[in-house]
Amino acid sequence: SFPVYCQECVWADNWDASEFNAEVNFEKPFFDQFYELMQKVPRLAIVNKQSENSEYCNYSFANKNCYLTFGNHYEEDCMYGHYSTKNRDCMDYLWFYESELSYGCIFSGKLYRSVYLDHSEGCQDCYFSVDLKSCKHCLFCSNLRHKEYYIFNKKYSKEDYFKQLESYNFGNYKNFSEAVEIFKTEFRKKFPVRAVYQINCENCEGNNLNNCKNLETCFDCTACEDCAYGYQMDETYDSMDMNCMGYDKSELCYQTIGCSGINNCVACDSCWHNNDLNYCNLCFNNCQDCFGCISLNKKKYCIFNKQYSKEEYEKLVPQIIEHMKKTGEWGEFYPIKYSPFAYNETVAQEYFALDKKEALNAGFQWKEKDLKDYQKQIYDVPLDINDVKKDIIDELLACSDCGKNYKIIDKELEFYKKLNLPVPRKCPECRHLERMTLRSPRKLWDRKCKKCEKEMKASYALSCPEEVYCEQCYLSVIL
């Protein structure tokens, strides 16, 4: 219902979002006034800044030659990734960093030519494994350190290892699918798992934490300190109730989402490299001291996009805050009724899944399928990657899970051939959802260590089939 601008127009110098402004009205709730402003101010089609040949990426910064990546910064030649940084020539990954030529990996980093690794680091030519560190040529392994030529944690000679690997023939779709299923099911029951993943952390409660200190109920965080109730954050300090923060340092923030490099900000959405903002959306490039603003760039002392003097701004802001306290709005995030998105087209569906009836009953919007995106596939994809010809890039494929159409692009086909991997039968969205099922929930349970029966917090529910160990017992079984 509001104007949407392309990248070139947003970053051009021939327009100014402060032309679309409003006066403060103390007779109306703040959120109602902000919503009215939302209907007038042009907004960026996708959050994609300083990128080259990466038009189809969102929450993207300083990327080159990337395609359908989301929340990715400083990457090159990557496809279908989510929340990652500094990767090159990688595909189908989640929470991933500083890796090259890798596929299907999650919560891992510094990998080379690896496929389906989980919570692993510094590995090369490894497949379908969990919690490997500095390993090479390992297949279906777990909890190994500095090992080479292992299958199911058993040592092989170099010659026997490659014979076994060749016999799996992962370039065949049927064989590869069977390996994925083993990795997702019976493999998970074969080796003990650690209660939570915390690496080099001090006084932290949560899971998937790296180099963090003093965190309470935080998940998927790196290099964060003194934060509470944070999810998916990098380099965030002294902040609370945050989501999707990174990869540039942020500090003293509350109730913000999708932001990077911000300081002293409250309830901001998708604002990058700014200071002292309250209730702002899509503001960039050193905006300072702004309140209730949208799509501003290099602005200071603005309220509802209207320019004020420093003295006027500092006099008016306390009055707005006091007004919001009286209406019960101050410190709260934007009401869901003002979201321009339907529930099932947002990432909320990935973490708190609802069906149509549940979503509508909760007051959310729901987007129906567009039937033109669900045409029947007539092209027969060969089972073996060696038999796939380049003409596949001209064909329309249909997802084997949801039926939605998708394409194979030329760079993607090159990637599959380079790693001897089959062409996927699922669309990128369903492949992403499949990866999400492999990650631990953002929740902790009270349970006992399977080995020593010590009471502990774990990211595994009591119903999970894995053998869950406390940190001390887990370290005792690492090879």
Side-chain angles (χ1 to χ4, degrees), residues 20 59 79 125 139 142 230 277 288 329 350 396 399 407 474:
F20 306 85
Y59 288 94
M79 297 168 281
D125 292 289
L139 172 63
S142 186
L277 305 186
Q288 298 180 41
E329 297 171 301
E350 299 175 5
L396 193 67
C399 177
K407 300 274 286 185
Y474 178 81

Side-chain angles (χ1 to χ4, degrees), residues 74 220 229 234 237 289 295 372 374 382 468:
Y74 311 109
D220 309 343
Y229 315 115
D234 282 75
Y237 303 86
D289 297 291
S295 298
K372 76 175 190 302
Y374 293 83
V468 184

Side-chain angles (χ1 to χ4, degrees), residues 91 95 145 148 186 247 271 274 294 317 336 351 357:
M91 183 170 151
W95 211 84
R145 303 293 183 265
E148 190 170 7
E186 59 189 81
Y247 292 85
C271 294
N274 308 297
I294 302 171
V317 164
I336 191 65
Y351 299 93
K357 183 178 179 180

Side-chain angles (χ1 to χ4, degrees), residues 423-470:
V423 170
R425 270 55 169 181
K426 297 178 183 179
C427 68
E429 186 174 349
C430 284
R431 301 200 306 266
H432 168 70
L433 293 176
E434 187 178 61
R435 287 192 293 279
M436 293 292 286
T437 65
L438 293 176
R439 67 166 186 85
S440 302
R442 289 172 173 171
K443 184 178 178 180
L444 298 179
W445 286 266
D446 292 316
R447 60 181 298 165
K448 291 182 179 180
C449 171
K450 182 69 174 179
K451 189 174 183 182
C452 72
E453 297 195 343
K454 171 185 174 182
E455 296 284 348
M456 61 182 185
K457 294 279 188 182
S459 60
Y460 297 88
L462 294 174
S463 59
C464 289
E466 290 90 348
E467 289 192 358
V468 184
Y469 284 12
C470 68

Side-chain angles (χ1 to χ4, degrees), residues 73 83 129 149 158 164 213 253 289 301 467:
H73 295 204
Y83 198 71
S129 297
Y149 307 123
K158 180 178 178 180
Q164 282 288 107
K213 182 179 180 181
C253 297
D289 297 291
Y301 306 126
E467 289 192 358

Side-chain angles (χ1 to χ4, degrees), residues 219-253:
F219 296 85
D220 309 343
C221 301
T222 299
C224 297
E225 187 171 337
D226 299 318
C227 295
Y229 315 115
Y231 305 90
Q232 204 164 297
M233 305 190 304
D234 282 75
E235 293 195 57
T236 303
Y237 303 86
D238 294 302
S239 298
M240 179 172 166
D241 286 355
M242 316 282 284
N243 195 11
C244 299
M245 299 292 297
Y247 292 85
D248 300 314
K249 181 180 178 181
S250 295
E251 189 169 8
L252 288 171
C253 297

Side-chain angles (χ1 to χ4, degrees), residues 184-444:
K184 289 166 57 179
T185 55
E186 59 189 81
F187 172 80
R188 300 277 164 164
K189 307 171 191 175
K190 202 171 182 64
F191 305 100
V193 297
R194 65 204 314 168
V196 292
Y197 282 93
Q198 292 189 12
I199 307 300
N200 193 27
C201 293
E202 179 182 342
N203 189 32
C204 292
E205 180 188 73
N207 191 34
N208 293 325
L209 307 178
N210 290 277
N211 302 315
C212 294
K213 182 179 180 181
N214 301 332
L215 302 188
E216 180 181 346
T217 317
C218 290
F219 296 85
D220 309 343
C221 301
T222 299
C224 297
E225 187 171 337
D226 299 318
C227 295
Y229 315 115
Y231 305 90
Q232 204 164 297
M233 305 190 304
D234 282 75
E235 293 195 57
T236 303
Y237 303 86
D238 294 302
S239 298
M240 179 172 166
D241 286 355
M242 316 282 284
N243 195 11
C244 299
M245 299 292 297
Y247 292 85
D248 300 314
K249 181 180 178 181
S250 295
E251 189 169 8
L252 288 171
C253 297
Y254 177 67
Q255 288 272 36
T256 65
I257 182 170
C259 296
S260 181
I262 62 171
N263 291 281
N264 196 31
C265 295
V266 173
C268 289
D269 171 18
S270 308
C271 294
W272 292 4
H273 310 121
N274 308 297
N275 298 319
D276 303 291
L277 305 186
N278 294 286
Y279 292 94
C280 290
N281 172 229
L282 290 168
C283 292
F284 298 98
N285 297 337
N286 297 318
C287 285
Q288 298 180 41
D289 297 291
C290 293
F291 203 116
C293 293
I294 302 171
S295 298
L296 294 187
N297 198 7
K298 299 179 182 177
K299 290 292 183 179
K300 197 171 184 179
Y301 306 126
C302 294
I303 301 173
F304 288 145
N305 281 28
K306 182 179 177 181
Q307 183 68 62
Y308 290 86
S309 67
K310 181 177 184 292
E311 293 73 21
E312 291 171 328
Y313 180 87
E314 292 178 345
K315 180 181 178 181
L316 195 51
V317 164
Q319 297 177 29
I320 298 173
I321 294 174
E322 189 60 33
H323 173 64
M324 294 179 71
K325 288 179 178 178
K326 291 177 181 177
T327 59
E329 297 171 301
W330 177 246
E332 297 297 319
F333 199 69
Y334 310 96
I336 191 65
K337 65 181 180 180
Y338 295 148
S339 172
F341 304 106
Y343 191 84
N344 59 325
E345 61 178 350
T346 73
V347 296
Q349 187 73 312
E350 299 175 5
Y351 299 93
F352 310 98
L354 300 176
D355 60 27
K356 179 180 178 179
K357 183 178 179 180
E358 290 170 330
L360 294 177
N361 287 342
F364 304 130
Q365 301 175 57
W366 189 265
K367 184 178 181 179
E368 300 294 347
K369 288 182 178 180
D370 189 338
L371 294 181
K372 76 175 190 302
D373 295 330
Y374 293 83
Q375 299 177 43
K376 185 178 179 180
Q377 177 178 326
I378 59 174
Y379 180 81
D380 188 18
V381 182
L383 283 177
D384 198 289
I385 186 61
N386 293 318
D387 298 326
V388 178
K389 308 302 181 187
K390 194 168 183 179
D391 62 355
I392 193 175
I393 66 175
D394 300 319
E395 300 295 337
L396 193 67
L397 306 184
C399 177
S400 60
D401 272 12
C402 70
K404 189 175 183 179
N405 295 130
Y406 66 103
K407 300 274 286 185
I408 301 296
I409 63 172
D410 50 359
K411 186 170 69 172
E412 180 180 357
L413 182 60
E414 291 174 12
F415 180 91
Y416 295 137
K417 287 185 175 289
K418 196 183 300 183
L419 265 67
N420 190 37
L421 298 174
V423 170
R425 270 55 169 181
K426 297 178 183 179
C427 68
E429 186 174 349
C430 284
R431 301 200 306 266
H432 168 70
L433 293 176
E434 187 178 61
R435 287 192 293 279
M436 293 292 286
T437 65
L438 293 176
R439 67 166 186 85
S440 302
R442 289 172 173 171
K443 184 178 178 180
L444 298 179

